[in-house]
Amino acid sequence: MCQHKPPCPTADSPDREAALLMASHPEQGWSLLCNGVLFFEDTGELLPNGEIIAPHRPATVSA
């Protein structure tokens, strides 16, 4: 799928979120990455194979 050099991380890579942005729809809360991953503003993901990755925001730290 990816035509970039070097290629973007695949959808099943641990670093899949590092793939280049192909389409951004902040008004709808999602972006499409080059590897086919739909990345949501709550940090949830939908992989091309239909697998759902739950939101994984870092825990907030009180100062």
Side-chain angles (χ1 to χ4, degrees):
M1 186 185 302
C2 179
Q3 305 279 324
H4 299 109
K5 299 293 182 210
C8 293
T10 62
D12 57 353
S13 282
D15 61 343
R16 65 182 152 262
E17 296 170 11
L20 294 176
L21 188 67
M22 299 305 292
S24 177
H25 294 277
E27 71 282 0
Q28 296 177 356
W30 62 272
S31 298
L32 175 64
L33 303 180
C34 180
N35 54 10
V37 172
L38 281 174
F39 184 73
F40 297 96
E41 68 180 14
D42 69 353
T43 70
E45 301 171 19
L46 179 61
L47 304 185
N49 66 2
E51 182 181 352
I52 297 169
I53 306 295
H56 49 277
R57 287 186 177 168
T60 57
V61 178
S62 299

